[in-house]
């Protein structure tokens, strides 16, 4: 299917690695001009260079979205080559070992600033231009923990619920404008660092010696789902690419869960 992204310009925040990088690569492969964002200039530039070497169009915007000044810098660099049609708010952090007892109120505020307010900063700087032009796509990347919070990482789950809520509120504000707003609630994402740590965990728990042995046992123990595996970055990027294009014009104000049918054990 032609997703009709040719001629569109997209900013993907937090795209110097992980899921954001995969989203940027897929949007570029589908014909969009992408702006790769990160805080590390060398790593961000390397991703953009790799996209260009693969035949795509990619620019760079660097800065810390946790501050107004950083968001101003990122917006200026992203908009410098032209208006943006697509904003993918992917930047965020998580702390796998965080618990109710170990997480201070200050840490709750910090993760809310990074995972929620950073998205607000970029929306306020990018979306007015979309509204003026009468077309645009805003996509929040969140986690399924916003729907199914667990005992661990309570502040992370709460921030993802806020991201989902933000996307719906924005859609109401953008009604009849030609700009849509949605959230993608992702299940577990198997990036290299996660695979390494989970392989170590699996061996410690006797779930197997190889990743092929460990994965189904790990999924059953920690995040049971109907597919029986952990999501790969391309699984999520494909949905984002669809939502980013004209073919998704009748989808707005919703959170799409993509988690293999994960259920709360």
């Amino acid at each position: 299917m032609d997703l009709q992204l040719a001629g569109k310009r997209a900013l993907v925040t937090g795209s110097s690695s992980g899921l954001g990088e995969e989203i940027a690569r897929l949007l570029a492969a589908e014909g969009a001009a992408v702006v790769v964002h990160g805080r590390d200039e060398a790593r961000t530039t390397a991703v953009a260079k790799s996209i260009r070497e693969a035949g795509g169009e990619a620019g760079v915007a660097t800065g810390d979205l946790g501050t107004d000044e950083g968001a101003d810098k990122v917006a200026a660099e992203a908009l410098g080559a032209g208006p943006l049609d697509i904003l993918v708010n992917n930047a965020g952090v998580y702390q796998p070992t965080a618990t109710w007892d170990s997480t201070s109120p200050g840490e709750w505020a910090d993760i809310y600033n990074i995972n929620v307010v950073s998205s607000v900063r970029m929306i306020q700087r990018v979306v007015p231009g979309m509204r003026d032009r009468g077309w645009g796509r805003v996509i929040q990347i969140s986690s399924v923990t916003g729907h199914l919070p667990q005992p661990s990482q309570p502040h992370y789950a709460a921030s993802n619920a806020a991201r989902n809520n933000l996307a719906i509120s924005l859609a109401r504000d953008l009604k009849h404008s030609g700009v849509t707003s949605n959230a993608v609630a992702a299940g577990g994402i198997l990036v290299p660092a996660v695979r390494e740590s989970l392989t170590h965990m699996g061996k410690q728990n006797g779930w197997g010696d190889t990743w092929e042995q460990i994965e189904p046992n790990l999924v059953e123990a920690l995040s049971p789902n109907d597919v029986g595996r952990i999501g790969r970055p391309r699984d999520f990027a494909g949905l984002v690419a669809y939502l980013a294009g004209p073919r998704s014009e009748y989808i707005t104000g919703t959170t799409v869960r993509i988690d293999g049918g994960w259920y709360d054990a």
Side-chain angles (χ1 to χ4, degrees), residues 3 5 10-13 19-28 30 32 34 85-90 135 137-142 180 182-186 189 232-248 251 256 258:
L3 298 181
L5 292 176
L11 168 62
V12 183
T13 68
L19 176 58
E21 177 181 351
E22 185 69 19
I23 291 170
R25 290 186 182 281
L26 184 55
L27 292 178
E30 290 290 334
V34 300
D85 305 291
I86 302 158
L87 171 62
V88 181
N89 277 321
N90 169 74
W135 198 92
R137 299 287 183 265
V138 184
I139 303 165
Q140 299 291 131
I141 306 300
S142 68
T180 65
N182 294 290
V184 171
I189 304 171
R232 275 49 172 175
R234 184 55 64 98
D235 294 327
F236 308 100
L239 174 59
V240 173
Y242 175 74
L243 291 174
R247 294 187 183 277
S248 67
I251 303 174
V256 184
I258 176 168

Side-chain angles (χ1 to χ4, degrees), residues 186-204:
I189 304 171
L190 192 67
V191 295
V194 169
R195 176 167 171 164
E196 182 178 348
S197 65
L198 292 179
T199 299
H200 179 69
M201 178 191 297
K203 290 179 179 179
Q204 285 185 318

Side-chain angles (χ1 to χ4, degrees), residues 42-123:
R43 191 167 64 183
T44 306
T45 300
V47 171
K49 179 182 177 183
S50 175
I51 290 173
R52 291 193 294 270
E53 289 173 346
E57 184 177 347
V60 169
T62 57
D64 181 2
L65 301 181
T67 69
D68 290 345
E69 294 78 15
D72 285 340
K73 180 177 182 294
V74 170
E77 293 177 357
L79 293 165
L84 291 166
D85 305 291
I86 302 158
L87 171 62
V88 181
N89 277 321
N90 169 74
V93 296
Y94 67 100
Q95 298 168 302
T97 61
T99 65
W100 274 97
D101 293 335
S102 68
T103 308
S104 69
E107 288 171 312
W108 278 76
D110 288 343
I111 202 168
Y112 191 86
N113 177 50
I114 296 170
N115 287 1
V116 182
V117 182
S118 67
S119 293
V120 174
R121 291 186 178 101
M122 297 315 298
I123 287 167

